[in-house]
Amino acid sequence: EQGYRVFAAGRNAERRAQLEEYARQGGLPLETVEMDVTDDASVDHGLAEVQAAAGPVDVLINGAGFGVYGVVEELKLADFRRQLETNFYGVLRLTQRVLPEMRERKRGRILNLSSIAGKLAIPLFGAYSASKFALEGMTDALRLEVYPFGIHVVLIEPGYIPTGFQSAATELSADYVAGAERSPYAPVYKAYGRRWRRTDGTVRDTPEDCARVILRAIRDTPPKPRYTVTAQARWASFGKRVLSDRLFDRQIIRAFGLDRVRKELGG
């Protein structure tokens, strides 16, 4: 809507078609590209399509990601790997493809969508946080490495925003949720569920709020290294900076009722 020529990449043909129709009705300069960020050939083909149509990429926004939720002891290694393959290696794969041209041109921006879960971890988010902590570390190093070439690298750190992400995560985590009652961690799953229900109905943040922050990160010269989205994310990030790990853990334990769970288990 701000006049940027946008290429939206994704695996889901139906969603791409819906986006193209939205763009057509609004007269927006947006085209979609088939791309699976976990597949080298798919990324190469998709980028070649973009470059043939519009030339080098000026701004890369790495937004692909999903979540699988379950306690660390019970998460299958295959699910851990799948989580990292999309959320971390997918970002890395695409970033490495666009950097040579950006270096040659001495300009470009890369925006990596992290999460407040890349700053702190909560119960059942071990795999997701692992992917986002990795993304944060890689992005911080990359920002310094490409500074001499005039390339800006930015982290976007949203808090919880209701989107289709949650329903997809629920579906992908169905086996763990189904087995929760038989798990020794059943009280932990229940504690998470109680906290989720209290939080879910009170959130007023929208994807548009995140889009506005992304637009600011594209336009700011120079951009900040990281931008938080939502008041929840700002407070959590501040708390992580000023509190000791022990005090911060106490806040999470209290918020999720884990002290009560410990008493129930006789700990």
Side-chain angles (χ1 to χ4, degrees):
E1 292 173 351
Q2 299 298 313
Y4 292 91
R5 187 175 183 184
V6 176
F7 291 86
R11 293 183 300 184
N12 189 301
E14 183 179 347
R15 289 182 183 176
R16 292 199 312 274
Q18 291 171 350
L19 192 55
E20 285 179 343
E21 178 60 20
Y22 176 83
R24 188 190 65 77
Q25 291 181 1
L28 302 175
L30 184 149
E31 302 159 59
T32 71
V33 178
E34 181 180 0
M35 185 183 293
D36 179 351
V37 299
T38 68
D39 182 86
D40 287 334
S42 178
V43 168
D44 288 341
H45 183 271
L47 267 178
E49 190 176 326
V50 171
Q51 289 160 340
V57 174
D58 292 309
V59 180
L60 170 65
I61 303 173
N62 283 309
F66 71 93
V68 175
Y69 305 144
V71 296
V72 170
E73 182 181 338
E74 295 176 347
L75 277 168
K76 299 171 185 173
L77 286 178
D79 285 333
F80 253 107
R81 291 190 179 104
R82 189 160 53 131
Q83 183 79 101
L84 286 160
E85 188 60 50
T86 295
N87 295 13
F88 178 68
Y89 290 112
V91 172
L92 182 59
R93 183 175 283 110
L94 210 46
T95 297
Q96 289 181 335
R97 298 301 199 281
V98 303
L99 275 173
E101 283 188 332
M102 288 184 175
R103 276 193 297 99
E104 288 294 322
R105 301 166 70 215
K106 298 294 190 293
R107 63 188 176 92
R109 294 198 184 197
I110 298 172
L111 278 59
N112 290 339
L113 264 70
S114 180
S115 165
I116 195 58
K119 291 284 193 184
L120 58 95
I122 62 174
L124 278 63
F125 274 62
Y128 185 72
S129 279
S131 70
K132 295 301 186 180
F133 270 67
L135 179 61
E136 295 254 338
M138 182 274 287
T139 302
D140 284 342
L142 178 64
R143 184 174 59 253
L144 300 173
E145 292 167 355
V146 300
Y147 171 80
F149 301 99
I151 301 168
H152 298 290
V153 183
V154 178
L155 281 160
I156 307 294
E157 299 171 333
Y160 172 59
I161 298 176
T163 65
F165 179 95
Q166 288 77 34
S167 58
T170 300
E171 183 178 336
L172 291 166
S173 309
D175 288 347
Y176 300 108
V177 174
E181 286 293 334
R182 302 184 301 277
S183 168
Y185 291 93
V188 177
Y189 280 98
K190 289 178 181 176
Y192 172 81
R194 286 193 296 267
R195 176 67 182 180
W196 178 264
R197 286 189 292 274
R198 287 200 304 271
T199 301
D200 195 34
T202 63
V203 174
R204 297 292 177 265
D205 300 292
T206 68
E208 286 76 13
D209 295 324
C210 191
R212 280 189 284 270
V213 173
I214 289 172
L215 183 62
R216 192 162 77 244
I218 291 172
R219 289 178 168 173
D220 283 353
T221 303
K224 296 190 293 186
R226 46 184 32 86
Y227 293 77
T228 52
V229 186
T230 77
Q232 173 204 49
R234 286 189 288 275
W235 277 110
S237 182
F238 176 76
K240 190 65 175 174
R241 286 200 309 271
V242 301
L243 298 178
S244 68
D245 287 345
R246 182 172 292 178
L247 281 174
F248 198 84
D249 277 0
R250 288 304 308 165
Q251 296 296 318
I252 300 294
I253 287 168
R254 191 175 296 115
F256 282 85
L258 297 178
D259 41 5
R260 187 167 69 247
V261 170
R262 183 170 179 173
K263 289 177 182 176
E264 289 173 3
L265 295 175

